[in-house]
Amino acid sequence: YTDATFTIGKDTYVKGETELVKATNLNDSKHYKISIDSPSSSSDSYITACFNPSSGSDVLTGTYVLAANAALGTNNWQAELQEFDNPGCGDGDDERASDNFSVVAPKPDLIAVKSHNPAGDVIEGQAFTWKIHIANTGTASALFSNGQTILIDNLPSSGATYGAPAVVNASGITGTINCSIAANNLSCVASGAVNINAGGAFDVSFETTPTDNGSLKNPRNGGGMKCAVDPNDNILEVTGTNNSCAETVNVDEYPYTE
């Protein structure tokens, strides 16, 4: 007999997610159930029926939906493989294997991606559109209070002129986002409460006209210069490492003809 192999889908789950548990390398002379132990309960919660493998290659899988009010905790939830001698799993169980996991509250996760259209190199004197795509890829809403900065972009201070920015392609957003460019700095601020729901997104676009050849590096060089969503860390997110955006656009000299 070889000990069973017991695995859970991942080490940390968010409330509302579904956990997947799998047991392999089972003893075909035994019977099995998978249970979940919550830190708020003193009894096992079985998530599978009694299972008798016909061979050691059979796999027992179970799923468990973590409720919206599931207890939070770090490594204090436990998935267990219970082993029984009798059919029906009516006799006393024997814990064959277990694995602990954590349950955390849902959090937003804001991302920012900058691009330009038409793509590729641009030509001096010919306008293109710069766009920043903002999205909430997390599992909870991101709520900005009135006056809080949602997006900032320190644009190149030379080599281009900029048109008025516009918020476009908004979905899953409530409230008003006001964007403006002053002194080559783009700023988008919440006018009243702004809620970016989980899965919500919007774009900020503005016309850019290169005035010289070379490259437009965004954000511009200098200490503290940035292109980022939630630049002041007002939102408690899954991670802030994906809040920044950057792009360098190459500008070709306007073709000269006699």
Side-chain angles (χ1 to χ4, degrees):
Y1 176 77
T2 303
D3 282 344
T5 301
F6 191 60
T7 58
I8 59 176
K10 54 186 179 178
D11 294 330
T12 301
Y13 287 87
V14 175
K15 287 183 176 185
E17 282 191 309
T18 299
E19 180 186 19
L20 174 65
V21 187
K22 182 170 68 173
T24 57
N25 201 27
L26 303 173
N27 186 337
D28 58 12
S29 67
K30 300 289 185 177
H31 301 76
Y32 298 91
K33 279 184 175 182
I34 294 176
S35 67
I36 299 293
D37 284 353
S38 160
S40 61
S41 175
S42 58
S43 59
D44 293 338
S45 221
Y46 289 109
I47 62 171
T48 65
C50 188
F51 177 71
N52 173 222
S54 59
S55 70
S57 62
D58 282 358
V59 177
L60 174 62
T61 59
T63 57
Y64 182 78
V65 178
L66 292 152
N69 62 349
L72 303 179
T74 303
N75 288 329
N76 60 350
W77 284 73
Q78 188 173 66
E80 298 177 350
L81 176 66
Q82 308 287 359
E83 184 181 87
F84 302 82
D85 291 325
N86 299 328
C89 300
D91 56 313
D93 60 351
D94 177 24
E95 183 182 316
R96 176 55 60 185
S98 65
D99 208 345
N100 286 58
F101 60 96
S102 303
V103 175
V104 299
K107 293 180 183 178
D109 190 12
L110 297 171
I111 65 168
V113 179
K114 188 157 190 180
S115 61
H116 68 283
N117 184 51
D121 290 1
V122 300
I123 298 175
E124 175 188 353
Q126 296 186 4
F128 67 92
T129 299
W130 236 339
K131 181 181 77 174
I132 306 172
H133 177 70
I134 305 298
N136 180 2
T137 62
T139 54
S141 297
L143 179 61
F144 289 89
S145 300
N146 180 49
Q148 289 185 330
T149 300
I150 299 173
L151 172 68
I152 193 169
D153 186 3
N154 300 126
L155 300 165
S157 55
S158 62
T161 59
Y162 308 105
V167 176
V168 296
N169 303 322
S171 64
I173 309 283
T174 57
T176 301
I177 302 172
N178 287 337
C179 296
S180 61
I181 295 176
N184 303 307
N185 297 310
L186 166 68
S187 178
C188 294
V189 176
S191 178
V194 171
N195 193 16
I196 306 175
N197 294 318
F202 67 94
D203 296 333
V204 177
S205 66
F206 52 95
E207 187 175 271
T208 302
T209 303
T211 58
D212 198 1
N213 61 74
S215 63
L216 295 172
K217 185 178 183 296
N218 180 234
R220 64 178 178 265
N221 292 327
M225 298 297 101
K226 64 176 66 175
C227 172
V229 63
D230 188 26
N232 299 321
D233 297 324
N234 292 306
I235 307 300
L236 180 61
E237 300 184 52
V238 174
T239 177
T241 59
N242 52 7
N243 285 21
S244 296
C245 46
E247 188 186 40
T248 297
V249 177
N250 294 321
V251 181
D252 296 333
E253 186 176 8
Y254 188 82
Y256 175 78
T257 57
E258 293 186 350

